[in-house]
């Protein structure tokens, strides 16, 4: 069997195995960095930028084998200087060139579809370096909590215990953030690893402004993370700082660091909510146009990150069911299906059939019913399903662990 045949068979086996697996990305932090290690990492990211921009300026250079590229021309002021590439390994150089090829192919696809696209431009910053081949460009040492990166050496990492023993480790990305350097490792786990006994077969969700998420069992989840006083203080100082000064660059770094903190908090809120919703067998929600809400409720929508949460639900949940955007779930009576004219100030729905319910809970119940393909006559009983003790316990354990989430239980 030739080498090409062996590679082809391996790729086919991997593709077949991936159908029974699910990808998970683990974030590991590089810690206890000495000054020498930090300078080495800074130089690696600088060289990655030089190489990428050198290839972008003339795409014909992509035909050059990356391992033969040892120097590149870099614009310094008004002149070009030759800079040596001493910290990037040959495989990492290849992966940076492959990333550029992928970008060019993506632009070509958009152009064929009729989109107006421009040429790729040089980057001012590159904050991620691809490490595709496990065992060559990087390797994890679970016994000593270390990672070895090609030509950069060993680094102690925090969070390696997150990766299960049966995980199949694939590619990774070395990421630079204001708070430090991280390694994002992609692992593949069997789908059986994620299977849990659901605490309820199905639940409906209603998205809102006053209460961000209302479930069909009456549980209400609210969360908001506004800009901090520290962020506003840094912004005021930055507005007064002289352009091009060191003080301005320092303030810009502090500003990025503060934005990262706020983003991490919002991301953690989303993770907690998704982790709770994964306990249900089927989750039904409506395809609301949340971006359109910003015209009236801009700060509330932006500070909650509810739009990002909605977009993540489809990809994160095992069995999401999405109801069409223009279905009148808010105005429809859950018991009989009759439509009612409701204003934003009306917080409850009262129907002639005798149905009385909170407006948001009714909307979540209707969303659940429509997502499961049931009519009003097929709905089980007229009362909403009561919140079960396992749901209360899970909500308190998962959602209660985040101080920015407020949970309201039905009476």
């Amino acid at each position: 069997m030739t080498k090409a045949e062996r590679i082809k068979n391996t790729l086919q086996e991997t593709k077949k195995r991936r159908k029974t697996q699910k990808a998970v990305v683990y974030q590991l932090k590089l810690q206890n960095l000495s000054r020498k290690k930090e300078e080495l990492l800074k130089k690696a990211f600088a060289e990655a930028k030089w190489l990428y921009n050198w290839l972008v300026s003339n795409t014909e250079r992509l035909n050059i084998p990356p391992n033969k590229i040892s120097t590149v021309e870099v614009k310094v002021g008004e002149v070009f200087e030759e800079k040596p590439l001493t910290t990037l390994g040959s495989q990492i150089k290849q992966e940076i060139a492959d990333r550029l090829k992928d970008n060019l192919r993506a632009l070509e696809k958009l152009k064929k579809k009729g989109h107006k696209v421009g040429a790729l431009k040089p980057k001012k910053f590159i904050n991620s370096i691809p490490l595709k081949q496990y065992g060559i460009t990087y390797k994890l040492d679970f016994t000593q909590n270390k990672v070895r990166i090609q030509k950069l050496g060993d680094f102690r990492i925090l969070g390696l215990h997150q990766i299960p023993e049966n995980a199949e480790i694939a590619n990774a990305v070395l990421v630079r953030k204001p708070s430090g350097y991280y390694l994002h490792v992609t692992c593949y786990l069997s789908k059986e690893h994620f299977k849990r006994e659901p605490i309820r077969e199905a639940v409906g969700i209603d998205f809102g402004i006053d209460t961000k998420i209302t479930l069909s069992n009456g549980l209400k989840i609210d969360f908001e993370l506004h800009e901090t006083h520290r962020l506003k203080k840094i912004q005021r100082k930055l507005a007064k700082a002289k352009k091009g000064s060191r003080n301005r660059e320092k303030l810009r770094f502090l500003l990025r660091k503060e934005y990262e903190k706020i983003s991490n908090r919002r991301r953690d809120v989303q993770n907690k909510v998704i982790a709770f919703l994964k306990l249900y067998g089927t989750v039904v929600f409506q395809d609301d146009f949340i971006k359109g809400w910003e015209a009236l409720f801009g700060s509330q929508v932006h500070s909650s990150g509810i739009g990002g949460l909605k977009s993540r639900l489809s990809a994160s949940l095992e069995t999401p069911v999405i109801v069409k955007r223009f279905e009148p779930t808010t105005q429809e009576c859950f018991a009989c299906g009759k439509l009612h004219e409701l204003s934003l100030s009306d917080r409850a729905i009262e129907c002639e059939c005798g149905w009385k319910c909170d407006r948001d809970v009714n909307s979540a119940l209707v969303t659940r019913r429509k997502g499961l393909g049931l009519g009003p006559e097929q709905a089980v009983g007229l009362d909403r399903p009561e919140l079960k003790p396992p749901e209360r316990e899970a909500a308190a354990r998962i959602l209660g662990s985040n101080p920015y989430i407020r949970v309201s239980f039905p009476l």
Side-chain angles (χ1 to χ4, degrees):
M1 185 181 292
T2 63
K3 184 179 178 180
E5 289 175 340
R6 288 199 302 271
I7 293 173
K8 185 179 179 180
N9 291 338
T10 304
L11 289 174
Q12 287 177 349
E13 289 174 5
T14 303
K15 190 175 181 180
K16 185 178 179 181
R17 193 167 63 252
R18 291 288 183 261
K19 292 180 180 179
T20 63
Q21 295 174 323
K22 185 177 179 181
V24 183
V25 179
Y26 295 96
Q27 179 175 272
L28 315 175
K29 185 172 183 179
L30 276 63
Q31 61 173 355
N32 299 338
L33 294 175
S34 63
R35 185 173 296 178
K36 185 178 178 180
K37 289 284 187 182
E38 283 200 16
E39 290 299 325
L40 190 64
L41 288 169
K42 284 180 184 178
K43 192 174 181 183
F45 279 95
E47 288 186 9
K49 182 186 76 169
W50 297 342
L51 177 60
Y52 184 88
N53 290 344
W54 184 74
L55 294 171
V56 163
S57 62
N58 185 356
T59 53
E60 291 183 2
R61 291 168 177 165
L62 289 169
N63 298 323
I64 304 173
N67 60 338
K68 293 186 178 180
I69 301 173
S70 57
T71 58
V72 293
E73 290 182 344
V74 179
K75 190 174 183 181
V76 181
E78 298 298 325
V79 297
F80 285 89
E81 295 181 4
E82 283 198 351
K83 299 282 188 180
L85 303 179
T86 57
T87 59
L88 294 181
S90 58
Q91 293 293 333
I92 296 176
K93 291 178 189 176
Q94 179 66 57
E95 289 157 10
I96 291 171
D98 290 342
R99 174 183 280 184
L100 177 56
K101 289 177 184 177
D102 292 340
N103 293 342
L104 291 171
R105 279 194 287 267
L107 287 178
E108 187 64 28
K109 286 181 181 179
L110 288 174
K111 194 174 181 180
K112 285 181 180 179
K113 291 180 180 179
H115 294 276
K116 188 177 179 181
V117 296
L120 288 175
K121 296 181 179 180
K123 292 181 178 288
K124 191 174 181 181
F125 298 103
I126 280 187
N127 290 323
S128 64
I129 296 176
L131 308 171
K132 286 188 178 179
Q133 293 180 304
Y134 181 67
I136 299 176
T137 48
Y138 81 105
K139 187 172 179 62
L140 298 173
D141 186 347
F142 288 86
T143 57
Q144 297 186 16
N145 290 332
K146 287 184 177 181
V147 60
R148 173 176 283 276
I149 303 174
Q150 189 181 59
K151 286 197 78 172
L152 296 179
D154 294 334
F155 299 89
R156 288 191 64 83
I157 48 177
L158 184 67
L160 201 55
H161 64 279
Q162 302 173 84
I163 302 177
E165 292 182 2
N166 59 339
E168 184 180 333
I169 303 171
N171 61 328
V173 181
L174 183 62
V175 179
R176 175 173 60 180
K177 296 182 181 181
S179 59
Y181 295 90
Y182 296 84
L183 192 70
H184 292 183
V185 181
T186 302
C187 299
Y188 286 91
L189 292 165
S190 172
K191 290 182 179 179
E192 299 293 327
H193 177 82
F194 301 95
K195 285 192 175 180
R196 302 286 187 276
E197 189 68 27
I199 55 177
R200 188 189 286 273
E201 288 302 318
V203 69
I205 297 177
D206 175 68
F207 296 109
I209 299 297
D210 186 33
T211 302
K212 302 303 177 291
I213 291 177
T214 303
L215 303 186
S216 55
N217 54 21
L219 187 71
K220 295 190 176 186
I221 307 169
D222 192 24
F223 46 87
E224 279 188 26
L225 288 102
H226 298 282
E227 293 183 346
T228 61
H229 293 293
R230 176 176 168 77
L231 179 68
K232 295 176 182 178
K233 184 178 179 180
I234 296 171
Q235 286 174 333
R236 288 195 297 268
K237 287 184 178 180
L238 183 65
K240 299 175 183 178
K242 184 180 178 181
K243 289 186 178 180
S245 64
R246 285 189 177 183
N247 185 43
R248 184 179 176 84
E249 288 302 314
K250 182 181 177 182
L251 289 169
R252 288 182 66 185
F253 173 77
L254 293 175
L255 191 66
R256 291 196 299 271
K257 197 170 184 179
E258 194 65 23
Y259 271 122
E260 185 190 350
K261 285 182 182 178
I262 298 171
S263 177
N264 287 343
R265 288 169 185 166
R266 286 179 183 158
R267 187 82 174 178
D268 186 61
V269 167
Q270 293 176 3
N271 290 342
K272 292 290 191 297
V273 173
I274 291 172
F276 175 69
L277 293 176
K278 279 183 177 180
L279 299 176
Y280 292 92
T282 303
V283 179
V284 187
F285 59 94
Q286 192 167 13
D287 185 23
D288 292 319
F289 185 50
I290 292 178
K291 190 175 181 180
W293 297 358
E294 294 181 3
L296 293 174
F297 312 99
S299 62
Q300 290 172 285
V301 174
H302 177 72
S303 61
S304 65
I306 190 172
L309 173 61
K310 177 184 153 296
S311 63
R312 288 183 62 194
L313 285 176
S314 301
S316 301
L317 298 174
E318 289 292 330
T319 53
V321 178
I322 303 175
V323 177
K324 292 181 181 179
R325 178 173 297 177
F326 298 105
E327 286 287 335
T329 55
T330 302
Q331 299 174 338
E332 185 174 324
C333 173
F334 169 68
C336 66
K338 183 180 179 181
L339 297 179
H340 296 261
E341 290 291 335
L342 297 176
S343 64
L344 288 174
S345 59
D346 296 327
R347 303 316 305 167
I349 182 171
E350 295 186 17
C351 187
E352 297 170 357
C353 67
W355 174 254
K356 294 181 181 180
C357 186
D358 178 88
R359 171 200 179 111
D360 296 333
V361 175
N362 178 78
S363 178
L365 285 166
V366 175
T367 300
R368 176 181 177 274
R369 175 164 56 76
K370 290 191 173 186
L372 297 178
L374 304 174
E377 68 284 352
Q378 296 172 298
V380 182
L382 293 181
D383 293 328
R384 64 176 180 269
E386 293 182 358
L387 190 69
K388 297 179 181 178
E391 293 175 279
R392 284 181 177 270
E393 187 273 331
R397 175 172 48 86
I398 299 173
L399 302 177
S401 63
N402 189 297
Y404 300 101
I405 299 177
R406 297 181 295 278
V407 182
S408 175
F409 295 99
L411 299 176

